[in-house]
Amino acid sequence: MTLRMTAFTLFPKLFEPFLEEGVFARGIRKSLISFDTVNPKDFAADARRTVDGHPFGGGDGMVLLPEVCHAALDSVAGVNTKVIHVSPAGKVFNNAWARRLAAETEHIVFLCGRYAGFDERFVKNRADYELSIGDFVLSGGEPAAVCMMDSIARFVPGVLGNTVSANADSFEDGLLEAPQYTHPADFAGQPVPAVLLSGNHAEIARYRRKQQLRRTALQRPDLVLRIWDSLSRSEQKLAEDVWKTGLK
Ligand SMILES: C[S@@+](CC[C@H](N)C(=O)[O-])C[C@H]1O[C@@H](n2cnc3c(N)ncnc32)[C@H](O)[C@@H]1O
C-alpha cells in the first residue's frame, strides 16, 4: 500500500527540493509513499484569488478564509483521510505520532497555515489532529509539515531499506541514542572508547545503554523521568549522579 501525503499550502514550490533527494524521495520512487499538494488559491471565489481576511476583533495578520479552505480540502479528502493542522498551538509531534500515523493511515493532509493561520471554525470542523514541531513560531506550516512527513516516512516499511531501522534511533526505547564513532580509531589524539573495539557485544550493549542514560539525563531529564519506573536501581543511580554532578 502507498501512503499518500498531501500538503495543503499556498506555497507548493517550497516542497520541491525535498522531493528530489534523500529518504523521502526514495520512498516516492519505490511507490511506498506519494506526495501531492492542494492550493487554496485555486478555490478562491474572486478573480484576485483572495484567500484571507482581517481578523474579527482586530489584531495582527490575516486569517485564512474558511469557505475557501473547506472547498480546497474537499477536493482532496476522502473517507480514509486524516487531516493534521500543523500548528504551534498543537500537541508536540514526536516519534510515537510518526509511528502511529505511518501504521494507521492511508492518506494524510497537512494543513499548512500562513499569516495569522486558519479560521478556528475550519480547524474545528476538519482537523483530526493539531500538531506542533516545538515551542517556536515559524512563518508558515510548510517546514513543519516537511519535518513530520520525513519522520512518518521513516516508519513506512521498506522506506529505510533492510539494513537500517527507525527502531534503533533516539526515542524508540525512551532515551536518546548513544554517541557514534567511525574510522579512524584515533582522530586528532582522541581515541574511540576501547570497549567499542573489543568485539564483546554484551559489553558494548551495556556501555551504549549507560551512554544513552548519561546523555539523556544531561540533555533531556524529562525523558528519563518519563521512564523512571522501568529503569533498574543502578540506572536510576547513574541518572541521579549525572544530575548531582552535571558530569558528561
Ligand atoms: C506565523 S504562524 C501563526 C502563528 C499563530 N498566530 C500562533 O501564534 O499560534 C503561521 C503558520 O506557521 C505554522 N507554524 C508556525 N510555528 C509552528 C510550529 N512550531 N509547529 C507547527 N507549525 C507551525 C502554522 O501552520 C501557522 O498557521
Side-chain angles (χ1 to χ4, degrees):
M1 197 190 69
T2 303
L3 171 58
R4 178 180 171 203
M5 303 201 208
T6 303
F8 181 105
T9 174
L10 292 168
F11 298 99
K13 283 203 168 121
L14 288 178
F15 292 88
E16 284 174 8
F18 179 63
L19 307 174
E20 283 163 17
E21 282 186 291
V23 166
F24 195 83
R26 196 168 66 219
I28 293 178
R29 279 200 300 276
K30 289 183 175 174
S31 301
L32 297 169
I33 45 187
S34 71
F35 177 79
D36 54 272
T37 59
V38 59
N39 189 338
K41 273 194 185 147
D42 295 335
F43 297 82
D46 61 348
R48 293 180 58 210
R49 307 219 298 163
T50 306
V51 292
D52 53 3
H54 292 285
F56 281 127
D60 290 337
M62 301 293 275
V63 178
L64 294 165
L65 299 171
E67 304 97 314
V68 175
C69 293
H70 270 290
L73 184 54
D74 281 344
S75 75
V76 288
V79 280
N80 294 324
T81 301
K82 290 288 179 205
V83 177
I84 297 177
H85 176 211
V86 173
S87 163
K91 293 184 176 141
V92 178
F93 179 84
N94 57 20
N95 253 15
W97 275 103
R99 180 189 284 283
R100 173 178 159 190
L101 289 162
E104 293 176 2
T105 321
E106 285 175 25
H107 178 210
I108 307 172
V109 177
F110 297 88
L111 301 177
C112 303
R114 279 275 154 178
Y115 323 124
F118 293 98
D119 184 292
E120 187 64 12
R121 294 162 295 181
F122 170 65
V123 172
K124 282 285 161 282
N125 289 334
R126 302 301 298 267
D128 295 292
Y129 310 114
E130 286 191 84
L131 298 174
S132 160
I133 59 162
D135 295 346
F136 48 88
V137 177
L138 300 162
S139 48
E142 292 79 5
V146 164
C147 292
M148 293 181 196
M149 284 161 45
D150 186 88
S151 154
I152 293 166
R154 294 171 60 80
F155 286 105
V156 173
V159 167
L160 283 185
N162 297 331
T163 52
V164 192
S165 161
N167 299 334
D169 287 332
S170 288
F171 307 115
E172 284 307 286
D173 58 1
L175 298 172
L176 304 177
E177 189 182 62
Q180 304 279 353
Y181 302 90
T182 184
H183 306 287
D186 189 319
F187 171 66
Q190 303 167 85
V192 301
V195 60
L196 297 179
L197 308 175
S198 70
N200 183 334
H201 295 295
E203 269 298 305
I204 291 172
R206 268 195 297 279
Y207 167 82
R208 285 200 169 133
R209 171 84 182 167
K210 233 170 148 177
Q211 292 304 314
Q212 279 189 275
L213 252 172
R214 218 178 260 276
R215 180 187 255 185
T216 313
L218 203 65
Q219 313 272 46
R220 294 290 305 274
D222 57 312
L223 294 181
V224 176
L225 292 176
R226 212 178 284 166
I227 57 161
W228 189 252
D229 292 341
S230 69
L231 299 178
S232 68
R233 184 57 207 133
S234 64
E235 288 178 329
Q236 291 179 346
K237 172 90 178 42
L238 179 78
E240 284 164 351
D241 287 348
V242 170
W243 291 330
K244 256 186 242 148
T245 60
L247 282 181
K248 289 209 170 127

